Amino acid sequence: TQEDVSGSSSRAGRRRRRRTPVSDRSAEAQPEAAPTSQRAAPTTQDEVSGSRSRAGHRRRIPVSDRSAEAQPEAAPSSQRGKRKASPERSSAASQRRRRKAPLEPSEDKRQKRTAKKRKRTDEKKAASSKGEEAAATTSASPGASHASSSSEASSAASSPLRCPLPPAPAMGAGRNYDPAMEPAYEAYMDLSSKYHAKRKRQLQLVTLDRSKASSCMVNEKLQSVRESATKTVLQVAKVVLGFSSYVDGKLMARSSGFLIDWDERSKAGTVLTSARIICSKYSALSQWSGTDEYAPNAEIVAHLLDEDDATVPALLLHYDKHVNIALIKVEIELCAKIPSFSGDVIYGQEIFVLGRDEHQNLTIHHGRVQFMGPNKFQRHHYLFSGCVINQPSIGGPVIDLNGQVWGMANFPGTAFIPSSIILKCLDMWKKYQCIPRMHIGMKLSPIKFLDPIHVERIFRRCNVDSGLIVHEVSHGSVADELGVRPGDIIDSVNGEHIATTIELENLLMRICESHLDEGGVIGSCVDIPINCNCQGLVQMQ
């Protein structure tokens, strides 16, 4: 009949509506099945608008409810057409609608999730505070034998250090602020502050702290000898100490020193260092000025090399202004072999200068024995290393690659006292409890260190290519009375040829020692024949 045809076309229309986009179809609920006569009846404009209004209202139904309401009720068997959709096809369409429907959580569910996040954040804070209390209890227990820095930088409940990542919306630039992410932001900031605090504590460990300046050992030029040189340096460093001097409780000077002798019975060691440790005032220009002032009664402390960086009082045994050395007695346990002194100096030899800075860290300087002599402002017994030494490292040993001592660093700059002078001073101090020396009243410089062109010119004019050139003569001295003038050349002293000022100083100390051994006293005069050339041969006594 006409009604059956209309009903069939209406059902076909409904099937066509099922093929519309899911965004529209899933939100629209199907009306209940009506009789065939009613479905075939025309629909008015009011009914259409009402249906749209109800469909818009049903679009906000949750998926769990919408999927059940989207199916229409079963129609009577008399109203079912012959082209009825199969149950399998209807079920597949329903599943597609459920998958593609937009998921928008309701406001109450969002609030529940926010409450859960806050609860988890509070639980983490409580667990963290319990872990810190447990760490403090563990570090305070008698069984914690780690160093003080280690106990502060670690905890018993410590876990692997992980850097927290910011919440996802905060990682992109230009994101709008989301109030719902505020708990996540607060949790991230709390974890980040804890991470940086723990990282800072870890970096205080001696094994992880690399804030100190690197030494010359990392230089690429030392790669060929770095392994052997490192072993040598670390072995000698065990006997290198740091010293501080105080006057009226105020710090006066710092210097380094190294053990040269140790008494097993008394557990006392003798340390060689620079006399600058007790120098309260010194000249910045000339070392011959005699304006330096010393405070032998100053309080001297030695910084030990133990875990606690302890200090012990040190006793000044002797000091010499001219040579600029000091001998100090310290009660200390010997933990390494005392290095031996080398003999003759080889110019160009590779050397290392060791010392201690103000924090008692080891300082290492690399250089070579320079082919040069002292200028008119420096002492005659100086050699030069080519590397600049700072004040706290003065007094440290100058060693070669084999660990033998070639001298002692002296004065800020590159100068050092060679081992031949030091050994002679130590011998005389042991014999006479002082270091006597002779005054010749002249400042000299070697021809040996001049440019070859200059040496050749001197040889053509004076027929001399080796010796010492006179630069200054003290007024009223014996040399001045005998007519020695600047520009003259001293060829030999006491019958021995002299090429450098180091050789002259060693010779004068041997003459002085022989004079005292023969019964002479300090303050007496000694006759020394000296040959001068260039202006004529002069016999001086």
Side-chain angles (χ1 to χ4, degrees):
T1 62
Q2 185 65 29
E3 293 180 356
D4 294 335
V5 173
S6 301
S8 176
S9 62
S10 176
R11 287 193 295 273
R14 285 198 298 274
R15 284 195 295 271
R16 284 195 296 271
R17 284 196 297 273
R18 291 194 187 96
R19 297 189 182 91
T20 57
V22 177
S23 60
D24 299 331
R25 188 173 63 250
S26 60
E28 296 179 359
Q30 300 297 330
E32 297 182 356
T36 308
S37 59
Q38 294 179 4
R39 290 199 300 270
T43 305
T44 62
Q45 185 66 26
D46 294 338
E47 293 175 345
V48 172
S49 60
S51 176
R52 291 178 180 175
S53 176
R54 289 192 296 274
H57 177 72
R58 284 191 292 272
R59 193 173 290 119
R60 290 189 292 271
I61 297 176
V63 176
S64 60
D65 301 333
R66 190 168 61 241
S67 62
E69 296 178 1
Q71 301 296 334
E73 295 182 0
S77 59
S78 61
Q79 299 177 1
R80 297 174 184 170
K82 295 181 179 180
R83 299 180 63 184
K84 179 181 177 181
S86 63
E88 293 81 6
R89 185 173 181 181
S90 177
S91 176
S94 177
Q95 291 178 0
R96 286 195 299 270
R97 286 195 298 272
R98 286 197 296 270
R99 286 196 302 268
K100 297 181 180 180
L103 303 178
E104 296 182 3
S106 59
E107 188 66 26
D108 57 344
K109 291 185 177 181
R110 181 181 301 174
Q111 293 178 357
K112 290 180 179 180
R113 286 199 297 270
T114 303
K116 289 182 179 179
K117 289 182 179 180
R118 291 179 179 176
K119 184 177 180 180
R120 287 195 296 269
T121 302
D122 296 338
E123 291 176 354
K124 290 181 179 179
K125 291 181 178 180
S128 176
S129 61
K130 291 181 180 179
E132 292 178 357
E133 293 176 359
T137 305
T138 304
S139 61
S141 62
S145 59
H146 202 281
S148 59
S149 61
S150 301
S151 62
E152 294 175 359
S154 62
S155 60
S158 178
S159 60
L161 191 62
R162 298 187 180 94
C163 180
L165 296 177
M171 296 177 65
R175 300 288 182 97
N176 294 328
Y177 175 73
D178 187 1
M181 295 296 294
E182 185 65 27
Y185 295 150
E186 293 178 356
Y188 164 71
M189 296 302 296
D190 181 64
L191 293 176
S192 179
S193 62
K194 291 180 179 179
Y195 166 79
H196 290 292
K198 187 172 184 179
R199 184 59 179 166
K200 183 178 179 180
R201 293 195 301 269
Q202 286 184 349
L203 292 179
Q204 293 176 358
L205 295 171
V206 67
T207 52
L208 301 179
D209 184 11
R210 296 188 178 182
S211 60
K212 305 302 179 184
S214 59
S215 68
C216 62
M217 301 300 291
V218 300
N219 195 327
E220 294 182 358
K221 297 180 180 180
L222 297 177
Q223 293 301 312
S224 59
V225 297
R226 179 172 179 178
E227 184 176 3
S228 59
T230 299
K231 293 180 180 179
T232 300
V233 167
L234 294 180
Q235 183 66 26
V236 178
K238 296 178 181 180
V239 298
V240 179
L241 304 177
F243 292 89
S244 302
S245 60
Y246 299 87
V247 175
D248 297 331
K250 296 182 180 180
L251 179 65
M252 182 175 65
R254 296 182 187 272
S255 71
S256 302
F258 59 100
L259 281 171
I260 59 174
D261 191 17
W262 186 72
D263 186 7
E264 184 177 1
R265 185 180 61 181
S266 62
K267 305 297 183 181
T270 303
V271 177
L272 176 67
T273 185
S274 172
R276 294 290 291 272
I277 188 64
I278 58 171
C279 184
S280 58
K281 180 181 179 182
Y282 55 89
S283 174
L285 181 60
S286 176
Q287 300 169 13
W288 297 93
S289 62
T291 59
D292 296 349
E293 297 180 3
Y294 294 85
N297 295 325
E299 178 187 1
I300 304 176
V301 296
H303 300 269
L304 302 183
L305 304 179
D306 53 7
E307 296 179 357
D308 301 329
D309 293 334
T311 59
V312 295
L315 176 63
L316 179 65
L317 299 177
H318 183 74
Y319 74 99
D320 186 88
K321 300 179 181 179
H322 177 77
V323 186
N324 195 35
I325 64 173
L327 297 173
I328 297 176
K329 181 181 179 180
V330 180
E331 293 184 1
I332 186 175
E333 289 289 342
L334 183 64
C335 58
K337 181 182 178 181
I338 296 177
S340 60
F341 285 87
S342 177
D344 297 332
V345 174
I346 302 176
Y347 293 99
Q349 173 68 36
E350 199 169 17
I351 55 176
F352 293 93
V353 183
L354 309 184
R356 298 282 175 186
D357 62 10
E358 58 272 11
H359 303 292
Q360 307 313 312
N361 296 313
L362 182 66
T363 60
I364 310 172
H365 298 84
H366 173 257
R368 294 180 182 273
V369 180
Q370 303 295 298
F371 193 76
M372 60 181 295
N375 56 36
K376 65 179 182 179
F377 301 110
Q378 297 169 331
R379 301 290 191 184
H380 286 159
H381 57 273
Y382 285 171
L383 288 179
F384 302 90
S385 62
C387 51
V388 179
I389 310 300
N390 297 326
Q391 172 68 34
S393 299
I394 294 175
V398 179
I399 63 173
D400 60 6
L401 293 174
N402 297 323
Q404 288 188 317
V405 178
W406 282 49
M408 184 194 75
N410 194 20
F411 286 103
T414 64
F416 71 93
I417 304 173
S419 58
S420 59
I421 300 293
I422 293 176
L423 290 174
K424 201 62 183 177
C425 290
L426 294 177
D427 291 339
M428 299 182 73
W429 174 72
K430 291 178 181 179
K431 292 176 64 174
Y432 313 116
Q433 297 301 307
C434 65
I435 305 176
R437 58 177 296 270
M438 304 184 70
H439 297 269
I440 59 175
M442 293 181 290
K443 290 184 180 180
L444 310 168
S445 66
I447 297 177
K448 180 178 181 178
F449 299 131
L450 297 177
D451 189 275
I453 298 177
H454 194 182
V455 176
E456 195 271 339
R457 288 175 54 197
I458 294 174
F459 179 75
R460 286 191 291 112
R461 298 289 182 89
C462 305
N463 197 28
V464 175
D465 59 359
S466 180
L468 302 177
I469 300 176
V470 179
H471 283 278
E472 292 184 16
V473 180
S474 298
H475 179 70
S477 63
V478 177
D480 183 34
E481 294 176 356
L482 293 177
V484 179
R485 296 294 179 264
D488 290 350
I489 299 175
I490 297 179
D491 181 64
S492 65
V493 176
N494 202 29
E496 295 185 20
H497 177 73
I498 300 298
T500 64
T501 55
I502 298 293
E503 296 177 2
L504 174 64
E505 288 291 321
N506 281 319
L507 176 59
L508 294 177
M509 294 180 75
R510 289 198 305 268
I511 295 174
C512 184
E513 184 179 13
S514 300
H515 176 70
L516 294 177
D517 289 341
E518 294 174 358
V521 294
I522 296 177
S524 58
C525 298
V526 180
D527 294 335
I528 301 176
I530 295 178
N531 293 331
C532 293
N533 203 317
C534 192
Q535 300 296 330
L537 184 62
V538 178
Q539 183 74 16
M540 185 187 73
Q541 291 187 345

